[in-house]
Structures are given as C-alpha cells and as structure tokens.
Amino acid sequence: MGENDNLRLFHTGMHACGYWPERTARDLVFDPHDARLPAFYPQALQWGFRRSGDIVYRPHCPHCRACVAVRIPVDGFVPNRSQRRCLARNAAIEVRVLPAGRDEERLALYRRYLGSRHPGGGMDTHGAHEFDQFLVGSWANTRFLELREAGRLLAVAVTDIDALSMSAVYSFYDPDEVSRGLGTLAILKQLEWAARERRRHLYLGYWIRGHDKMDYKRNFRPLEGFDGRRWRPFDAIDGA
C-alpha cells in the first residue's frame, strides 16, 4: 500500500456480545497490520472508534445501535456534587502518571479486579500475556495513571494520548474499595490531567443504553455522543 492509499476497513464475523450475553455482535476493524494506523488513530477516535490492544474497532451490529461513543469536552467539565464528594473522600490519594507496562503489583491488582468484576466471563482468567496484549499493545502512546494511598496501589487508569485528546482505555481497581468510587475518581483525575495538558476531549468509550455498568458515563457533563456522522450533545442522543 502507498502512503496515499486508504486504510482498509474490515467487518468481523458475528461473535458473542461482550455486554448482552443473549446477543451477537459484529465490529468494523481497521487493518491492524497497516504501519500508518498509529498516526491515523486520533482521527479514528473522532469517528467513534476505540482501541483494544492493537485493534481499532467500532461496533457495527446489523440490528442493534445500543453502543454510542461518548466524550467529555474538557474545558467545559465541572464536577457535580457527587463527584466533588468523591474527590473529598479520596483527598489523601496520590496520583502518578507513569509509562505503560506490566509489573507484578499491577498484574495482581488487575487479576483481582477481573475476578470480582467479571467472574466466569473469560476475562477472569487473564494473565501476563493478556495484560500486555489488552492494556499496553505495541504502538499506542499510552500512560498508566496510578492511584495510591500510603504507597498501596488502589487503581490504574490506562490512558491513550494524542495531540488533541486523551482516551480512557480501561481502568481497574481494588475490588475491596468499591465504596470509595475509584472508577469515578480515575476519570476525574484523567480530566484534571487532560486540563493541565490542554487536551480538548477525554474519550470514554461506549455508553450503552439500558446497561447498568455503562450508565455512570452520563454523569460526566457536558457529554457528547457520536451518532454515526457527527458529535452531538448527549441529551440529544439519549432522548432519540
């Protein structure tokens, strides 16, 4: 392929839906072997795509449009009352942004999180190889935002960075500390980081109508959703 050729886009076959066990799903995927994909990735985010390892994909199911890509305009974000309480409750936590990578402490926390969050779903068997493949990949500009208290690792937010935006790829945290709202805190700290770095948006992946585990994303305002052609205020999409 030449530099001016278009990146190839493929349909996957039908596969089990990762969110609704009774449904099947299909994705659009950019050619993962194209050397230009890292440079194109920021544009793909703007088109509602997402990274998982070295795969850049977007759900494209024949009879379902439940997955909606969402992002937060960083300059406009103001934490609500509940989010301010979360920040106050976790005021003693230390935040560090570090190179992406696996060590024994991070891997142990990841496996504990999956065992609690996704028991019996397949992800709970992930080990070192899956950690590297899923969270780090080989080409993305990725950092790990760590949350620690008194030296103890409580949470990790996996974050991709480009010149204009950040993308919240995945977060995992101590399942014994659920009451602290560490998932919410991770996003709030990513937003603070994005504001310091003057990034325009923080991408949150997909909001899924009617799915309890994804509904928290609507609490970050302002929020925008991608309707397949353009980004719109979330309420216009949620009410459609």
Side-chain angles (χ1 to χ4, degrees):
M1 294 181 69
E3 290 186 3
N4 296 322
D5 293 335
N6 293 327
L7 271 76
R8 290 182 294 177
L9 190 62
F10 302 102
H11 271 130
T12 68
M14 300 301 293
H15 57 85
C17 176
Y19 302 103
W20 306 104
E22 71 279 8
R23 300 183 190 180
T24 55
R26 184 175 68 174
D27 301 311
L28 289 174
V29 178
F30 282 104
D31 182 356
H33 303 295
D34 194 308
R36 298 168 300 168
L37 186 57
F40 185 74
Y41 176 46
Q43 179 63 64
L45 286 172
Q46 293 181 45
W47 290 346
F49 283 77
R50 185 96 173 130
R51 182 183 72 83
S52 176
D54 290 341
I55 303 299
V56 178
Y57 73 97
R58 188 173 84 184
H60 192 71
C61 305
H63 306 295
C64 179
R65 294 292 182 268
C67 294
V68 176
V70 291
R71 69 185 186 185
I72 304 168
V74 174
D75 285 348
F77 175 73
V78 177
N80 62 26
R81 185 176 181 181
S82 175
Q83 291 158 354
R84 292 195 299 272
R85 287 201 300 267
C86 179
L87 289 167
R89 186 165 59 246
N90 294 289
I93 284 182
E94 177 189 3
V95 181
R96 298 193 297 176
V97 176
L98 298 166
R102 168 176 46 86
D103 60 25
E104 291 304 315
E105 186 181 30
R106 291 169 175 174
L107 178 60
L109 181 62
Y110 178 62
R111 296 192 67 178
R112 286 184 59 219
Y113 174 80
L114 293 180
S116 173
R117 186 79 167 179
H118 302 289
M123 288 185 72
D124 55 337
T125 63
H126 278 198
H129 172 72
E130 290 82 7
F131 183 104
D132 294 346
Q133 186 178 55
F134 174 43
L135 300 179
V136 182
S138 66
W139 54 258
N141 184 19
T142 306
R143 299 290 184 273
F144 281 8
L145 184 148
E146 288 189 347
L147 304 180
R148 293 179 178 269
E149 186 174 56
R152 182 166 66 97
L153 182 64
L154 294 179
V156 176
V158 182
T159 312
D160 287 349
I161 307 167
D162 66 51
L164 297 178
S165 65
M166 294 184 180
S167 179
V169 175
Y170 197 74
S171 295
F172 55 96
Y173 51 82
D174 188 334
D176 295 333
E177 301 282 353
V178 173
S179 63
R180 302 183 68 153
L182 293 172
T184 293
L185 182 66
I187 294 176
L188 293 171
K189 293 303 180 181
Q190 284 172 303
L191 282 163
E192 291 178 2
W193 175 22
R196 289 194 304 271
E197 298 293 329
R198 299 187 178 181
R199 294 320 196 259
R200 294 179 185 174
H201 298 101
L202 176 67
Y203 289 86
L204 294 184
Y206 299 109
W207 169 77
I208 301 172
R209 188 187 306 275
H211 199 290
D212 290 344
K213 288 185 178 180
M214 294 293 165
D215 209 45
Y216 71 92
K217 297 178 183 181
R218 68 164 67 234
N219 296 323
F220 293 87
R221 299 300 181 106
L223 190 66
E224 298 175 343
F226 189 69
D227 67 3
R229 294 175 297 176
R230 60 189 176 94
W231 291 92
R232 304 167 59 197
F234 178 75
D235 289 339
I237 296 211
D238 186 24

